[in-house]
Amino acid sequence: MMSVLVVADHRRGELRDVSYELVTAGRELADALGGELAVAVVSGDTERFAESLNRPGVDRIYAVENGEEFDNTVYTSAVTELVERADATAVLAPNSVNGLDYAPAVAERLDIPLVTDAIGFAFGDGLTVTREMYGSKVETTVAVDGDRFCLTTRGGEFEPAEGVGDAEVESVEIDHPESGARVKGFEEVGGGDVDIADADVLVSVGRGIGEEENLEVVEELADALGATLSASRPIVDSGWLPKNRQVGQSGKVVTPDVYIAVGISGAVQHVAGMKGSDTIVAINTDPNAPIFDIADYGIVGDLFDVIPELVAQFE
């Protein structure tokens, strides 16, 4: 029977949201193939991670204990062996820093095709994968030629799997080859105070705020909402906020419950990083700004008039 193997993603002791999205994507692909869905949890708190990922539609969970942090050698050998153990037709990994580290190595070792940054797929006579190119201006469809394949999927493109499943959890020991590199720990570098990808509410600022001093006005709104402050690339490039606050194709993909865009025009590179938000609110003086095309709610006005009114409503 054909099966799909999904590889969970975690960092600093917590599962990433994309792990639950991968379960949804993996179940869709397994249904198309007429097979089972297996989830691999490698390193970290495997018992807790396995329990959390035991969602409806998951048939089996493989738990591989090996330290706390990501290690390319460990992941490559573990995922390769689990593909064989599960007799998997497809491997689904996150299009994250870690996923893009080991997925190519797994594909090379198994001699199977790899397609990265997938935002959708379909399986009929064969697999076709949808990707974006040229700064998300164009969608392309890639036909995958092979009996087995590996995909990395972009975060925020699939609904997170919910509920409680009844999958069997199997502890697996893997013999890892010796490597010249070993991960000893994790150290956050460069403004690691928050992770905007985990925020429920984001207030995001763009070049439309004018000057750095005007950040204080937007921060008042974020404080009133209990939200996290994020930004488009021009703000980060100007040094007004650190890199870890950047939303977009060259920053982070975010999927908060509410995304408030203040002074952001809506360039495709930025939209690619936040279009999966549940509710998008745009505040801009330009009624023709592209951000209004994807916003659920739009306010045409000056932020110095609009934001104090909003703060007064929420305080």
Side-chain angles (χ1 to χ4, degrees):
M1 177 183 292
M2 294 181 179
S3 65
V4 175
L5 179 70
V6 159
V7 186
D9 199 38
H10 61 87
R11 193 179 71 179
R12 287 177 291 173
E14 297 298 332
L15 283 170
R16 310 287 287 171
D17 289 344
V18 70
S19 298
Y20 304 100
E21 298 165 15
L22 282 166
V23 170
T24 298
R27 186 64 260 172
E28 289 181 10
L29 186 54
D31 288 342
L33 292 169
E36 295 185 342
L37 173 62
V39 174
V41 178
V42 183
S43 302
D45 190 347
T46 55
E47 183 176 348
R48 177 166 60 90
F49 293 163
E51 181 180 357
S52 184
L53 288 169
N54 200 338
R55 301 294 168 100
V58 177
D59 298 295
R60 183 180 299 275
I61 299 175
Y62 296 112
V64 181
E65 295 186 9
N66 196 100
E68 293 301 316
E69 303 294 347
F70 171 80
D71 185 302
N72 173 278
T73 302
V74 171
Y75 265 71
T76 299
S77 58
V79 174
T80 301
E81 183 165 327
L82 291 176
V83 168
E84 302 295 352
R85 182 183 290 253
D87 192 22
T89 298
V91 183
L92 266 62
N95 198 69
S96 62
V97 171
N98 291 349
L100 291 173
D101 196 338
Y102 67 81
V106 170
E108 190 277 335
R109 190 170 294 185
L110 294 172
D111 193 24
I112 60 177
L114 167 68
V115 182
T116 60
D117 202 23
I119 63 171
F121 53 77
F123 195 88
D125 295 333
L127 177 71
T128 56
V129 180
T130 303
R131 304 177 72 247
E132 291 182 336
M133 298 179 66
Y134 305 114
S136 299
K137 295 183 178 69
V138 177
E139 281 193 1
T140 62
T141 301
V142 179
V144 180
D145 184 15
D147 296 329
R148 303 169 91 180
F149 46 84
C150 181
L151 304 178
T152 66
T153 63
R154 183 186 297 181
E157 297 297 331
F158 296 89
E159 289 293 324
E162 298 180 345
V164 178
D166 57 358
E168 176 184 350
V169 179
E170 179 180 342
S171 181
V172 179
E173 292 188 6
I174 304 291
D175 291 328
H176 307 295
E178 288 298 321
S179 170
R182 282 289 180 267
V183 177
K184 297 296 187 179
F186 181 89
E187 181 178 349
E188 191 76 60
V189 178
D193 53 334
V194 296
D195 188 344
I196 59 174
D198 294 334
D200 293 327
V201 181
L202 284 174
V203 176
S204 204
V205 293
R207 73 172 83 225
I209 67 169
E211 299 181 2
E212 183 176 6
E213 291 73 17
N214 297 334
L215 277 174
E216 294 181 6
V217 178
V218 185
E219 286 172 343
E220 290 180 9
L221 177 59
D223 290 342
L225 292 169
T228 300
L229 192 66
S230 57
S232 62
R233 181 170 179 172
I235 298 297
V236 173
D237 287 347
S238 297
W240 299 355
L241 286 174
K243 176 70 174 179
N244 71 312
R245 301 289 184 128
Q246 183 178 329
V247 175
Q249 195 171 46
S250 56
K252 288 191 175 183
V253 174
V254 297
T255 56
D257 296 332
V258 179
Y259 187 89
I260 302 177
V262 181
I264 293 176
S265 63
V268 291
Q269 293 88 347
H270 183 79
V271 169
M274 45 70 73
K275 64 182 180 181
S277 305
D278 288 346
T279 301
I280 299 172
V281 181
I283 303 172
N284 203 296
T285 56
D286 180 7
N288 297 314
I291 191 70
F292 288 121
D293 293 336
I294 64 165
D296 297 289
Y297 301 94
I299 302 174
V300 178
D302 191 296
L303 69 93
F304 296 104
D305 296 326
V306 175
I307 289 183
E309 291 291 336
L310 291 176
V311 171
Q313 292 293 321
F314 289 105
E315 282 187 335

